[in-house]
Amino acid sequence: MAKLSEKIGYALGDAAAGGITWKIMSIAFPLFFTNVFGLTFADTATLMLIARLFDVFTDPLMGSLADRTQSRWGTYRPWLIFGAIPFGLIFAMLLYTPDMGYAGKRIYAYTLYLLMMAIYTMVNVPYGSLLGVMTENDNEKNQFSSFRMVGAYAMGFITLLSFPYLQKMVGGTEAHQYAVLGAGFGIIAAVMTLACGLLTKERLKPVRAEKFSFKQFADLVKNKPWIYLTLIGVCTNFFNGFRYAVAGYMLTYCLGGEITISGLIINYTVFMTFGELTCMIFGGISPKFTEKVGSKSRAFIISAIICAVFSVAFFFVPMDPAYIWVMVTLVVLTSVGIGLYSPLLWSMYADVADYATEKNGSSSTGLIFSSGTMSQKFGTAISGSLVALFLGLAGASMTTDKMGNTIVDPVSITDSVLNMIWSLFSLFPAIIAAIIVLLVLKYPIKK
């Protein structure tokens, strides 16, 4: 049995990746790139799309490389130990706005974003794969997965809640605030990633396919559970991606910016913090909930239905700051479903890895878990790209201010744009949740 310290150590890995870097990239980057950094909606959408095409190749290659790693620190842990510092450093650089012309800033953004995706892959694919070699006990896998999600959501809660207060503390321009916070959060993410690598243990030795072969990829395409789970993973991240990517625009334009109630500043990060806290609580409950309903598939379906119902309900709330607590309540109720299914997804990837090992005779744990990371990045960033694209199609456009900076043109924020923003936060995710239910019904592993 693994010690509590190891489970906490494993949780630190996703506290860094999911709770800090990915959370800020998901919720702040679309708004940061357009309203602070100064990219157009079209360039922001293109940047995220190119990054996803990049990930299609790098994620599975990283998974295959991780499976073949042999070192004194194990198979997957060395990638966390030695990747921790570059991980935090590049994240910090990505939130820095250089003083250069538009063409230079565009090159900087594209280069650093692609580097961030590469280092995220280098660290997070081996991190996910660790679950497959720390224990062979299915119940303990669920516990590790639950600790992972609680760590991610707990740190996400801290990150998003503290963000506006830290901005005010730093002061200066928004660009300066993001640069300083990027450096601070980058250091924390690096320390947590290193701690994860040092505190965890690899107890199981993968059945290696020592020589690289494209047969692994061919076997993966023939793996029916993997295909369904990858589609489910993409959809869960589409669901979250639309909501996080559009939250900044929703609070800024639909609700008129920050809302202060009894000293509490509710901006777009704090607004989503209520959901993070709920996900943390119900992520911890998820193993017991799954045991109660009888299977991972059944638990996943119930959770996705919860997400769909309350997302639709959000659409009918008046677009008025006076209803902010109604909106928060619906975010909390939607997050009950997210919290319950999030740990299940990674536990199910471990099931698919076991299935593949039994069927093919060699381990492809890293390769299979890489598809989970790819689904995360694909779903989140494509949804962010689509948000920028849809807002552009709805009529939002850019202009230049007196200082020569590219900003969103306030005149272009029409009722059509506001309705699009509201739908992207509610109806679009509801449709995705319904698709998740259909896919889980078809998923063949019934554990």
Side-chain angles (χ1 to χ4, degrees), residues 239-259:
F239 181 87
N240 284 334
F242 275 117
R243 296 168 71 250
Y244 279 99
V246 82
Y249 295 111
M250 186 174 73
L251 266 290
T252 301
Y253 300 116
C254 297
L255 301 179
E258 289 183 356
I259 302 167

Side-chain angles (χ1 to χ4, degrees), residues 313-386:
F314 191 98
F315 178 76
F316 295 99
V317 178
M319 203 181 296
D320 186 326
Y323 291 86
I324 187 65
W325 290 118
V326 177
M327 299 174 204
V328 167
T329 300
L330 290 173
V331 165
V332 167
L333 292 171
T334 303
S335 298
V336 169
I338 300 170
L340 290 173
Y341 73 54
S342 293
L344 294 174
L345 187 66
W346 295 103
S347 179
M348 289 159 76
Y349 272 114
D351 295 338
V352 171
D354 291 342
Y355 170 87
T357 299
E358 184 178 339
K359 183 178 179 182
N360 302 320
S362 63
S363 174
S364 55
T365 301
L367 184 58
I368 287 170
F369 272 91
S370 75
S371 63
T373 305
M374 184 176 69
S375 298
Q376 180 188 39
K377 293 192 290 185
F378 185 87
T380 303
I382 289 293
S383 55
S385 177
L386 289 175

Side-chain angles (χ1 to χ4, degrees), residues 247-422:
Y249 295 111
M250 186 174 73
L251 266 290
T252 301
Y253 300 116
C254 297
L255 301 179
E258 289 183 356
I259 302 167
T260 303
I261 303 174
S262 301
L264 175 65
I265 300 172
I266 302 180
N267 74 341
Y268 67 99
T269 62
V270 175
F271 182 73
M272 298 304 287
T273 294
F274 294 100
E276 292 296 304
L277 180 60
T278 307
C279 287
M280 179 184 72
I281 294 168
F282 283 87
I285 294 172
S286 181
K288 290 292 183 184
F289 174 73
T290 303
E291 188 179 334
K292 182 80 172 176
V293 300
S295 74
K296 296 175 188 178
S297 296
R298 193 172 293 118
F300 216 122
I301 289 169
I302 295 170
S303 305
I305 290 172
I306 291 171
C307 292
V309 169
F310 291 111
S311 293
V312 170
F314 191 98
F315 178 76
F316 295 99
V317 178
M319 203 181 296
D320 186 326
Y323 291 86
I324 187 65
W325 290 118
V326 177
M327 299 174 204
V328 167
T329 300
L330 290 173
V331 165
V332 167
L333 292 171
T334 303
S335 298
V336 169
I338 300 170
L340 290 173
Y341 73 54
S342 293
L344 294 174
L345 187 66
W346 295 103
S347 179
M348 289 159 76
Y349 272 114
D351 295 338
V352 171
D354 291 342
Y355 170 87
T357 299
E358 184 178 339
K359 183 178 179 182
N360 302 320
S362 63
S363 174
S364 55
T365 301
L367 184 58
I368 287 170
F369 272 91
S370 75
S371 63
T373 305
M374 184 176 69
S375 298
Q376 180 188 39
K377 293 192 290 185
F378 185 87
T380 303
I382 289 293
S383 55
S385 177
L386 289 175
V387 164
L389 178 64
F390 286 144
L391 293 184
L393 291 174
S397 61
M398 310 299 289
T399 189
T400 303
D401 65 12
K402 293 179 182 179
M403 302 298 292
N405 299 314
T406 304
I407 61 171
V408 177
D409 186 355
V411 178
S412 70
I413 307 300
T414 60
D415 287 345
S416 174
V417 173
L418 295 178
N419 288 329
M420 177 61 76
I421 291 171
W422 208 253

Side-chain angles (χ1 to χ4, degrees), residues 162-226:
S162 66
F163 208 87
Y165 298 96
L166 291 173
Q167 281 183 290
K168 291 185 183 298
M169 188 185 302
V170 171
T173 64
E174 281 194 281
H176 174 69
Q177 293 166 9
Y178 275 95
V180 172
L181 293 183
F185 280 117
I187 291 170
I188 296 170
V191 171
M192 286 182 167
T193 302
L194 179 61
C196 176
L198 295 174
L199 290 172
T200 50
K201 295 179 181 179
E202 297 186 24
R203 294 176 177 81
L204 308 177
K205 192 171 182 179
V207 183
R208 302 178 189 277
E210 298 294 350
K211 293 182 179 178
F212 177 84
S213 171
F214 283 104
K215 182 178 181 299
Q216 273 194 308
F217 297 93
D219 289 339
L220 204 58
V221 175
K222 296 174 186 176
N223 187 326
K224 189 175 178 181
W226 173 81

